[in-house]
Amino acid sequence: MDTLTHTLMGGAIVGLAHIDPAVDPVSAGFITTVVGASLIPDLDTVSKMKNNAVYIKNHRGITHSLPFTIVIWPLLLAVLSSTFFGLPFINMYLWSLFAVSLHVFSDIFNAYGTQALRPLNHTWLQLGFINTIDIPIIVMHIMYFTLWFIGFNPVTLFIILYAAMILYYIARFIYQKFLINKIKERLPNDSITRVFCLPTLRFNEWRVVVVAEKAYYVGRTFKGQVVFYDRFEKIGPLEGELFEAVKDDENFISFTFFSSIYRYEIKELSEDTVEVRYIDLRYLKDGHYPFVCIMHLDKDDYEVQSSYTGWVYSETKLQQKVANN
C-alpha cells in the first residue's frame, strides 16, 4: 500500500491499544513507535538513492521477509521505545509486531506484491485485487479518526473498521473473479493460460492482460465491460548472442525479477547501436507502457553501452535516462 495508508493503519492500531493498560497509547513515544512500525518495512526505499535497478529488485523483498517481520523490526522498535521512552519492552514488541505484520500482510493484496515468505519461499505474493492507493480504504480510516475525535470508543471503532475492510476485500476478490470470467468469455477460441486483472483508482475500472497460447491481449474493463486495446503475437525468449550480452546487466536482472508478464522488442537505432527493450504489459496507460527495461548495445560485439529500468511516461524522457546511465 502507499505511505499514507500505512500511516493511517498505524494510527488505527494506536486506537486499538486502548485495550492495553500497560501503555499510554496517546503518548508521543507510543504513537511514534507504532506508526514507525507501520512504515519501517518500506525503509528499503532508500535503495533508490543508488539506482532504480537496486530499488526495484529489493523493494518489498528482504525488509518484508519473515525474519524482519517477526523478529528484527519488532525487536529493534521495542528496544528503542523501552530505551528512549521507558515503555514496557514486551508490550512494545507485541504492538510493533502487530503493526509490522499488518503492513506486510496488506501489501500482499496489490499487484506489486511482496516476498513475505522469504527465506522459505522467494515467490512474489501478488494477489492483485486491491489497488496500491485505494480510496475506499483511506476514506474508511478517515471516518475512523473522525468518529474517534468526536468521542466514540476507538477499540469498538477499530473492530467495526476492520470488519468492514474484510467485507470490502471479499467484495473486491469476488468482483475480480467475475471480471476474469467475463474476460475469458471474450476470447472463447483462444487457449488462455493466465489472466491478469488488476485494479485502478476507480472501483469499476481494471487493467487486463491475457496470456493465450499464441498471443498477449492487453486492455481494460469498464463497469464489467471488457475492451482490448493491443494484441501481441507471442515469440520465443531472447536467445543467442543478444541474450548472453544482456543476461548479466543489473537493469535486466531487476526487471525480469520483478515483472510478472512482459514482451520484448529489438530494433536497430543506428549503424552502430541496437536496442533491446523489455515491456511490462500490466501498466498500459494512455496508449503507453511506462514500466520498461531498455538496453543499448554495440552492434559489432553486443556489449551493453547503457541501460535503464523503471517507470517513464514519455519516450523522450526514457531515451534521456538511458543515455545518462
Side-chain angles (χ1 to χ4, degrees):
M1 307 301 289
D2 65 302
T3 301
L4 173 60
T5 303
H6 286 309
T7 303
L8 293 172
M9 287 180 169
I13 294 172
V14 170
L16 178 65
H18 282 76
I19 64 173
D20 186 351
V23 298
D24 177 6
V26 294
S27 66
F30 187 87
I31 293 173
T32 300
T33 303
V34 171
V35 174
S38 295
L39 297 173
I40 201 168
D42 285 342
L43 194 62
D44 55 15
T45 302
V46 299
S47 63
K48 200 168 188 176
M49 296 174 64
K50 185 172 183 180
N51 60 51
N52 249 22
V54 173
Y55 169 71
I56 290 168
K57 187 174 180 180
N58 291 284
H59 185 47
R60 297 192 184 178
I62 191 169
T63 60
H64 290 59
S65 65
L66 287 172
F68 273 80
T69 300
I70 298 173
V71 180
I72 297 175
W73 294 136
L75 187 62
L76 172 64
L77 291 164
V79 169
L80 291 175
S81 62
S82 62
T83 301
F84 292 102
F85 299 115
L87 295 168
F89 177 84
I90 296 298
N91 298 69
M92 295 313 300
Y93 173 83
L94 293 174
W95 284 116
S96 297
L97 173 62
F98 182 43
V100 173
S101 299
L102 183 60
H103 174 122
V104 175
F105 182 70
S106 65
D107 279 347
I108 291 172
F109 295 93
N110 55 56
Y112 200 113
T114 181
Q115 291 181 302
L117 297 180
R118 185 174 172 177
L120 301 178
N121 190 325
H122 283 64
T123 300
W124 284 92
L125 302 178
Q126 304 166 316
L127 298 183
F129 57 84
I130 298 294
N131 199 41
T132 303
I133 303 174
D134 195 287
I135 301 303
I137 291 176
I138 292 173
V139 170
M140 281 189 277
H141 278 84
I142 291 174
M143 291 174 60
Y144 169 87
F145 292 113
T146 301
L147 293 172
W148 180 9
F149 179 77
I150 64 177
F152 285 84
N153 185 296
V155 176
T156 303
L157 287 174
F158 184 93
I159 295 170
I160 294 172
L161 168 64
Y162 278 82
M165 282 182 56
I166 289 170
L167 293 176
Y168 174 69
Y169 274 57
I170 293 172
R172 293 287 280 182
F173 174 76
I174 293 172
Y175 190 53
Q176 184 193 52
K177 295 304 177 186
F178 164 76
L179 292 175
I180 290 173
N181 289 332
K182 293 274 289 187
I183 292 163
K184 290 179 178 179
E185 289 173 2
R186 282 290 311 276
L187 301 168
N189 298 321
D190 289 86
S191 179
I192 296 174
T193 58
R194 191 171 182 184
V195 176
F196 294 83
C197 187
L198 308 171
T200 67
L201 275 171
R202 299 174 180 174
F203 183 88
N204 288 315
E205 185 175 333
W206 296 59
R207 288 171 282 138
V208 173
V209 182
V210 178
V211 183
E213 184 177 359
K214 297 182 179 180
Y216 301 114
Y217 298 85
V218 185
R220 291 213 172 196
T221 72
F222 302 91
K223 296 182 179 180
Q225 301 303 309
V226 184
V227 178
F228 289 114
Y229 299 115
D230 287 328
R231 181 184 185 276
F232 301 104
E233 293 289 336
K234 291 180 73 173
I235 58 177
L238 190 67
E239 296 177 337
E241 290 181 279
L242 272 179
F243 177 72
E244 292 299 318
V246 305
K247 69 177 184 179
D248 295 323
D249 180 82
E250 67 171 349
N251 286 293
F252 174 79
I253 292 170
S254 294
F255 178 90
T256 52
F257 177 76
F258 168 73
S259 180
S260 301
I261 177 66
Y262 53 81
R263 57 185 292 272
Y264 68 89
E265 297 176 346
I266 303 171
K267 66 179 179 180
E268 295 184 5
L269 297 182
S270 67
E271 294 182 356
D272 303 318
T273 306
V274 61
E275 176 185 285
V276 179
R277 181 180 302 206
Y278 277 74
I279 303 161
D280 193 308
L281 298 177
R282 294 175 296 173
Y283 301 105
L284 175 64
K285 181 177 177 59
D286 299 328
H288 181 70
Y289 294 89
F291 184 56
V292 298
C293 172
I294 183 170
M295 296 162 283
H296 289 172
L297 296 86
D298 184 277
K299 195 173 178 182
D300 293 327
D301 58 13
Y302 284 151
E303 181 179 351
V304 178
Q305 300 171 330
S306 57
S307 64
Y308 175 81
T309 188
W311 283 265
V312 184
Y313 289 87
S314 78
E315 185 65 23
T316 301
K317 287 185 178 180
L318 178 59
Q319 293 298 338
Q320 289 173 350
K321 287 182 178 293
V322 178
N324 293 330
N325 276 274

